[in-house]
Amino acid sequence: MKADEVLIAHHDVLRGLLRDLVETTEAQADRREELRDRFLREIEIHAQIEDELFYPAVPDVSPLLALAHAEHRQIDDQVATVMRMDVTDPEFRTEVRMLEQTVRHHTMEEEQRMFPQSHALGEERLDELGEQLRARQRELTASGGMRLMIRLKRATLRLTKA
Ligand SMILES: [Fe+2]
Ligand SMILES: [Fe+2]
């Protein structure tokens, strides 16, 4: 798979998790918790593989980079808000919807503006980069360090409830 295809497939996972989360009700607390935790894990992994491997490889990426990083930070803030909330909070769905909009906007922007720029790398390099992204994604998914980091982050966000 080419680098942009790997990332688009992961965008689909992220958007799918948020869509499923929006569709849950207050009565499905366990499902909400599960989807929210899965989303946190996937978005952390996604931002990390983009920052480490993809963004640095894209030619002429610098004009788009500041925006991409600002959007990652905005997503981080909104994720923090959603993580701090009780899943039975009546405002939960509204917050998830706002997060979904930001994620949709950011991923579409990447797909429409940044990913086409990566095509200048040529087929071979895109395939190679795609393999690197997939390998790192698998590694982070399996990694005890990543799991620990996410557990800590989740615990910290819940302790610092406003
Ligand atoms: Fe991104
Ligand atoms: Fe992305």
Side-chain angles (χ1 to χ4, degrees):
M1 265 170 112
K2 301 199 174 7
D4 56 334
E5 291 166 351
V6 174
L7 293 173
I8 290 172
H10 206 206
H11 285 173
D12 286 338
V13 170
L14 294 168
R15 290 182 290 229
L17 285 169
L18 288 176
R19 193 177 48 233
D20 289 348
L21 193 53
V22 166
E23 282 167 8
T24 57
T25 66
E26 286 159 40
Q28 296 168 283
D30 289 350
R31 171 119 177 103
R32 275 191 171 176
E33 299 246 7
E34 182 203 319
L35 287 167
R36 178 174 67 174
D37 285 356
R38 272 175 61 197
F39 181 78
L40 175 67
R41 196 166 60 223
E42 295 301 334
I43 195 80
E44 292 285 344
I45 292 171
H46 189 74
Q48 197 162 330
I49 63 175
E50 282 185 344
D51 281 340
E52 267 181 27
L53 298 167
F54 185 71
Y55 291 169
V58 180
D60 303 319
V61 77
S62 36
L64 297 174
L65 210 50
L67 182 65
H69 282 142
E71 287 174 353
H72 280 196
R73 275 196 301 277
Q74 194 194 339
I75 291 170
D76 250 10
D77 287 348
Q78 288 181 275
V79 168
T81 304
V82 168
M83 292 303 291
R84 282 194 191 101
M85 284 180 108
D86 194 300
V87 291
T88 57
D89 191 311
E91 291 302 308
F92 185 81
R93 179 181 279 138
T94 310
E95 290 294 337
V96 173
R97 275 223 174 92
M98 290 196 291
L99 171 62
E100 189 189 24
Q101 272 173 19
T102 309
V103 168
R104 243 170 228 290
H105 170 83
H106 176 66
T107 53
M108 289 316 280
E109 193 145 87
E110 287 184 339
E111 289 173 23
Q112 287 165 5
R113 296 175 68 191
M114 197 185 280
F115 294 1
Q117 257 165 258
S118 74
H119 295 166
L121 293 169
E123 299 253 319
E124 210 171 312
R125 178 74 184 110
L126 275 176
D127 274 326
E128 187 185 86
L129 188 57
E131 269 319 301
Q132 289 172 341
L133 286 165
R134 286 222 295 193
R136 188 73 179 120
Q137 187 183 356
R138 271 198 300 269
E139 190 176 62
L140 289 171
T141 304
S143 135
M146 187 69 170
R147 273 204 297 274
L148 181 67
M149 193 279 274
I150 286 167
R151 268 219 302 279
L152 281 173
K153 182 163 179 172
R154 202 165 50 201
T156 314
L157 287 171
R158 285 176 195 169
L159 278 175
T160 54
K161 258 185 196 169

